[in-house]
Every structure is written in C-alpha cells, then in structure tokens.
Amino acid sequence: MNDHIRNGHKRTGRPGPETEEKYRRAVEMYAATDLSRAEISRRCGVSASGLYGHIRKYHRHLLLARNGIECSPEEAVAIGMSPCRGQKPGTHAKYKDAIAACDSMEYIEYNVSQIARLFGVNPSGLGNQLRAHYPELVERRERERRRRGLADNQRRGVRTWCREQYAGAVELLRTTELTLPEAAEKCGVSFSGLRQHIWFYHKDLIETRSDLRERAKSHKRIGHVTGTGRRHEPMSETREHYREAVRLYRETPLTIKAICKQLGLNPHSFSSYLHIWHREDAFARRGAEYCEGLRFSDTKSYKRSTAAKYAGAIARLKESGLPTARVAAEFGLHPECFRQYLKEHEPELHTRQGMVKAQNGSLVSARSMEKYGEAIRLYETTDEPLKSIARRLDIRYPSLGGFVRRNFPELIERHKESYRQAGMRTAE
C-alpha cells in the first residue's frame, strides 16, 4: 500500500508531501499574482501542464477565482469548468451583471451596446451571450422597448440573405450525419459563420445532433458520428498509408506478414488497422461473413494461401467423384491433411466423399469400402469363411468382422444358413 493511501491523502483529495512541496511556491504565486501559468512555471522551474493539473485537482478554488467565481475549496469540487454545452462558469460570472441589467426595467432605455459599456464588457460578446443563452430575454426586451417607443428601428434576428446562404448547409445537417466542417465545405460557406448561425437560430438542430452523439457514445459505427461529434473513421493519412497493403490483403493470398515485409510496414499495426477499419475483409479472409457483434474468436482460422493450395484438388474432386486419397496423390497433397481441410471448409463435399452407397443400399465409409471391398466381394460370392479371407488378404479380422456386421448383416446370415444346410446334408 502506498504512502498516500496510508496517510489518508487519497481520501481527503490532498497531494503527497513531495508533490505539495514541489508546487508550493508556484501555487502561492498563482494565488497572489496575476502572472500566467506559463510565466509562473518558468520562474519556479516546473512543468506548465503539471502545474495546471495540480491546481485543477487540488486547488480548484484558485482556478475558479481566476475566472471570476469566488467559492470555498469545498464548494469548488462541485463546480465544472468546461461543460459540454451551455455557458461556462467563468463566462457567466463575467457577464452576469450586464445580463441582469438587460433583464431589468431600470436599464430598458439603454440598448445592449450601451449596457455593455456601462458594465465594462465587450458589446459583441454580450450580444452573443444573449442570443446564445438568453434568446427569450432579447425578444422580451425588444417587445417592451417597442411598446414604450424606445425602439431604434434596427432589424433583429436572422437576415434573409443569411438564411438563404446557410439554408443548404442547415438542410444537410438535418438530414445527414455530416459534421459542421464537412457541411460548410460541401456548401462553400464559412465554418465559423455556419457554427454561429446554427447556435443562434437553430437550437432544435443542436439538441437533435447532441442526442445523436449521446446515443453514439456506447455504440460506435464506422462512418457514423461518435460521441465527440467526429466521424468514426481513420485519418486520411492513415488510410493512404495502408491503401496498397489493404488492396493486397483483399486481392491476393499473401499473409499479413508477407504483405508487411514487402511494403515495409509493422505487421501488428497493420493487423490492428484491419481489425478496426476493415472487419468485413478480415472476416472474409477467415471464410466467414461479418455481422454486427460477431467476434474473430467465433470464426475458424482461414488462410487464402491455404485455400489456393487446395483449390485445384477441390475442383477435381467435385468434377470427377474420385476417392479423396487418389485426388490428394494426384496433386501431391497429404491425404489426411486434405480430408481435414475438407471437413472444416467444405463440409458438404467431405460428407459426400466420406460416404458411398453399397449394393445393399446402405451408406458406408468410402475409405473402409476401398479397404475391404475385395474381402466383401469374396465373402459375398464364395463360401470361404471371413477369417480365412482376412488372413489371405492380410487384413485384421476384428476390423473386417466389425465392418461386415455393421453394414452387411445379410451376408453373415447367408453364410450361417449355408453352414446349417451343409451340416444337415452331412448328417443325412
């Protein structure tokens, strides 16, 4: 157990003694001065990112104070700094007095720009905050100013030319999963302008796309938007890097190792790239069809090089109907390996090759029939005992006897009947 847990630091949210001492002077300067984190880090000889993380985790109230939010260390824990949507705490603190004035009848005679100057904030920034987060306040204020005859006859809301300019991009965002940069590029409009237009005048679209991203957090699909709003697909540089390797993987029987050796790629990286972005091709390589949720471990191992090795023999087997062993010998293959491959990847053909129909109509093993065929013929056409036939053909009698009992019981009965008749004639 480490010292932090033993001393209770983890439970209380306090840093360890070494960490605390390392950043002590920097934290004091951060609390007592207006110097930037970068300058403080330079003066104290610590990492800027390390200092930021330390303050954000253990001195959050100081970070909030720099953003205009005064609170105790205990209260700071529950205050978020960068919400996914909505107004940031620092921005709210900066504009809250000016926004309250806009909503007050005491300042109704002033326009938004005048109120901004009275409270020492940027007029454009205040206007943007009102349109983005308090649109109903703007409408209510304008109605009251018109009622009192204080209207400045300035047009409010979206301009006609602006609506027409962004109409195509807005429609794409409503009907497709294109991202804002993609829609802006496709329609030839400014990305920042489209973003502001959507944020001010199409809040329903923002909610719809936000819900889409929320659903996508737990279910990523290639080519679709993710929880971050980006499309789930590889970067163009990565796609180009592996383009030729993917083509060889699809069109040739070369293994991943051989492809990477030929193109100078890392086989582990390429294999990972295939399993993430080309799952259909990876499953096809294993002789399986990809479907959502299927894992590689649920499929059998399969190599195109092996398929190419056996392709000619399989075609010959299908066309000729010859025994598997004979076809294997014809193509220089190991018969047992060939049979095992057929069993795994050509089960119907393996079944057809494994069984033949005997003269009595029963299905028997083709290999056994090939091995015992001559013995069966002699046993069927002569009165020679089966044990004698096995000895003469150098066949193990127990194996031959079991095969005959299982598949040709009528021959055994015929021989028994012949022996009985011969015994009766001898007795007479």
Side-chain angles (χ1 to χ4, degrees):
M1 185 180 294
N2 60 45
D3 294 338
H4 289 191
I5 297 176
R6 184 164 57 245
N7 295 334
H9 296 143
K10 187 168 184 178
R11 291 194 301 270
T12 59
R14 291 169 51 198
E18 294 181 1
T19 305
E20 194 165 17
E21 181 59 30
K22 176 182 177 181
Y23 293 110
R24 182 183 57 77
R25 182 164 170 262
V27 170
E28 290 174 354
M29 292 182 66
Y30 187 82
T33 70
D34 292 330
L35 293 174
S36 66
R37 287 195 303 269
E39 180 63 22
I40 294 173
S41 301
R42 188 184 65 77
R43 293 189 182 187
C44 298
V46 296
S47 164
S49 58
L51 174 61
Y52 175 69
H54 180 78
I55 292 174
R56 185 181 181 91
K57 186 173 184 180
Y58 300 113
H59 302 278
R60 194 176 183 83
H61 62 291
L62 299 180
L63 187 63
L64 292 169
R66 283 229 173 179
N67 286 273
I69 304 174
E70 297 294 338
C71 61
S72 66
E74 293 74 19
E75 294 172 333
V77 176
I79 301 176
M81 288 298 299
S82 300
C84 295
R85 289 183 293 162
Q87 217 176 12
K88 294 182 179 180
T91 308
H92 171 74
K94 178 181 179 180
Y95 289 103
K96 66 177 182 179
D97 293 335
I99 291 172
C102 291
D103 197 28
S104 171
M105 291 299 104
E106 295 180 14
Y107 295 88
I108 195 68
E109 61 190 58
Y110 299 102
N111 60 35
V112 172
S113 296
Q114 291 170 330
I115 293 174
R117 293 188 181 92
L118 286 175
F119 287 86
V121 295
N122 183 275
S124 297
L126 177 59
N128 289 341
Q129 290 297 310
L130 289 170
R131 283 194 293 270
H133 305 292
Y134 307 93
E136 69 288 346
L137 188 156
V138 176
E139 294 176 3
R140 185 171 63 251
R141 194 171 196 281
E142 286 302 312
R143 284 198 303 270
E144 182 62 24
R145 281 172 62 83
R146 282 197 298 270
R147 189 182 71 79
R148 297 189 179 197
L150 299 174
D152 53 9
N153 296 320
Q154 294 292 324
R155 180 181 175 84
R156 300 293 192 278
V158 60
R159 305 292 194 271
T160 303
W161 64 268
C162 187
R163 183 187 295 110
E164 294 174 353
Q165 180 181 3
Y166 294 117
V170 171
E171 184 62 23
L172 282 176
L173 292 172
R174 288 190 183 280
T175 57
T176 70
E177 290 188 3
L178 288 177
T179 62
L180 277 171
E182 290 172 342
E185 182 179 359
K186 197 173 185 66
C187 296
V189 296
S190 164
F191 162 64
S192 57
L194 174 62
R195 180 176 58 184
Q196 190 176 54
H197 178 77
I198 295 295
W199 187 250
F200 287 167
Y201 306 115
H202 297 279
K203 292 189 177 297
D204 61 321
L205 180 55
I206 293 175
E207 291 297 325
T208 300
R209 292 178 69 83
S210 178
D211 292 342
L212 177 65
R213 293 197 300 271
E214 191 65 30
R215 292 194 301 270
K217 284 182 179 179
S218 59
H219 186 60
K220 288 184 179 179
R221 294 182 298 163
I222 295 176
H224 293 267
V225 171
T226 65
T228 63
R230 296 179 58 187
R231 197 175 303 284
H232 187 50
E233 59 187 12
M235 293 188 294
S236 57
E237 298 85 357
T238 306
R239 190 186 293 112
E240 188 61 33
H241 181 64
Y242 290 116
R243 184 183 301 279
E244 179 62 16
V246 171
R247 186 191 69 79
L248 292 174
Y249 184 77
R250 284 176 179 160
E251 300 176 2
T252 70
L254 291 174
T255 63
I256 291 178
K257 188 177 292 185
I259 292 172
C260 292
K261 184 177 181 181
Q262 179 178 325
L263 300 178
L265 301 173
N266 184 306
H268 298 291
S269 299
F270 180 48
S271 178
S272 177
Y273 176 80
L274 289 171
H275 285 193
I276 295 174
W277 304 114
H278 295 275
R279 294 180 70 82
E280 295 84 356
D281 296 325
F283 272 83
R285 270 272 181 149
R286 299 175 70 88
E289 184 177 350
Y290 172 71
C291 61
E292 193 72 25
L294 186 64
R295 299 174 300 178
F296 283 98
S297 58
D298 297 331
T299 63
K300 296 178 182 177
S301 180
Y302 181 86
K303 291 184 178 180
R304 284 192 179 178
S305 55
T306 308
K309 175 182 176 182
Y310 291 115
I314 291 173
R316 172 73 168 151
L317 206 58
K318 290 179 178 179
E319 294 170 0
S320 64
L322 292 171
T324 304
R326 188 177 300 178
V327 173
E330 183 180 329
F331 284 83
L333 303 172
H334 191 287
E336 289 304 321
C337 293
F338 186 33
R339 287 192 182 96
Q340 185 63 29
Y341 182 85
L342 290 174
K343 183 177 180 180
E344 291 184 3
H345 302 287
E346 297 283 348
E348 294 182 2
L349 181 59
H350 177 266
T351 303
R352 193 191 80 183
Q353 288 297 117
M355 306 296 288
V356 295
K357 183 175 286 188
Q359 291 183 356
N360 63 356
S362 61
L363 290 175
V364 297
S365 168
R367 293 176 63 193
S368 299
M369 197 62 191
E370 184 178 354
K371 180 178 179 180
Y372 302 126
E374 179 62 15
I376 298 297
R377 187 188 67 78
L378 292 173
Y379 192 58
E380 187 177 20
T381 57
T382 68
D383 291 334
E384 184 178 1
L386 191 60
K387 186 176 290 187
S388 173
I389 293 173
R391 191 182 305 113
R392 185 151 60 87
L393 297 179
D394 194 23
I395 300 174
R396 293 183 68 254
Y397 171 69
S399 300
L400 175 60
F403 179 75
V404 173
R405 282 193 298 273
R406 288 192 304 271
N407 300 291
F408 300 94
E410 70 280 359
L411 296 183
I412 296 176
E413 292 298 326
R414 187 177 69 78
H415 271 257
K416 287 181 179 179
E417 184 63 29
S418 297
Y419 294 152
R420 282 197 297 269
Q421 291 178 2
M424 291 172 62
R425 285 196 296 269
T426 302
E428 292 176 356

